Amino acid sequence: MKKIIIGAVLLGSSMSASAVAPGGPGCGWGNLLFEGSSGLPAHLLATIVNGTSGNATFGMTSGTNGCDVSGTLTYSGDSLLAMNGVLEEVAQDMAVGHGEALTALTVAMQIEPADRDHFNSLMHENFTQIFPRDDISSGEVMDNITTVMKRDDRLSHYVS
């Protein structure tokens, strides 16, 4: 259970931390101060400056500080399911239609509590489509979950 909760928290935090250019590529005073620099130290310092002063958040809401929120955020990291053991636990829970790993997945996917039982049932009903073979990758599983959800009237708005 601890591994699942930690994984869900890491997924949520890593999604925001790893998003490409939130607010745009030059958003915040940290980017201004360290403009032209590269490498981990410069990126960390720019992030600290932007985060501790709140200027990037202000810039995104006011359209100042070099921030532009019209672009699309992207995520290049691994999904929650790619973590060791989580994919197997989600598969087991989907096979029975409930469980801690499935609950953690619904939380990570920001599915409202009122829709979670429906999600669990839908995943259980479509288990063989989501896990069509034993050697499936976590990315394929997430793609299959998304496909199943897009076809469902109640859950499609979570993935559209």
Side-chain angles (χ1 to χ4, degrees):
M1 176 64 178
K2 288 180 185 177
K3 179 170 47 169
I4 294 168
I5 292 171
I6 290 169
V9 170
L10 289 175
L11 173 72
S13 64
S14 67
M15 288 178 104
S16 62
S18 298
V20 173
C27 180
W29 296 338
N31 290 33
L32 173 67
L33 291 172
F34 298 98
E35 184 176 13
S37 300
S38 61
L40 182 62
H43 282 264
L44 287 175
L45 289 170
T47 300
I48 290 169
V49 169
N50 287 341
T52 56
S53 65
N55 70 81
T57 303
F58 174 77
M60 284 186 267
T61 57
S62 66
T64 60
N65 297 342
C67 301
D68 177 13
V69 295
S70 63
T72 302
L73 294 175
T74 60
Y75 177 69
S76 302
D78 290 333
S79 75
L80 166 69
L81 298 178
M83 299 174 128
N84 288 339
V86 175
L87 185 61
E88 291 82 15
E89 291 178 30
V90 168
Q92 290 171 357
D93 286 0
M94 275 189 195
V96 297
H98 60 85
E100 294 174 350
L102 201 51
T103 299
L105 180 61
T106 61
V107 170
M109 293 181 71
Q110 299 179 346
I111 295 174
E112 297 293 326
D115 291 330
R116 291 179 187 166
D117 285 340
H118 180 71
F119 174 87
N120 292 351
S121 296
L122 187 67
M123 296 302 108
H124 177 66
E125 292 165 10
N126 291 280
F127 178 80
T128 56
Q129 181 183 345
I130 296 168
F131 289 93
R133 60 185 197 284
D134 290 337
D135 64 341
I136 192 164
S137 72
S138 60
E140 291 172 298
V141 169
M142 282 308 299
D143 288 345
N144 294 344
I145 289 171
T146 300
T147 299
V148 168
M149 290 176 68
K150 281 183 179 179
R151 290 192 314 244
D152 185 82
D153 292 336
R154 187 167 167 188
L155 300 176
S156 61
H157 72 278
Y158 290 106
V159 291
S160 52

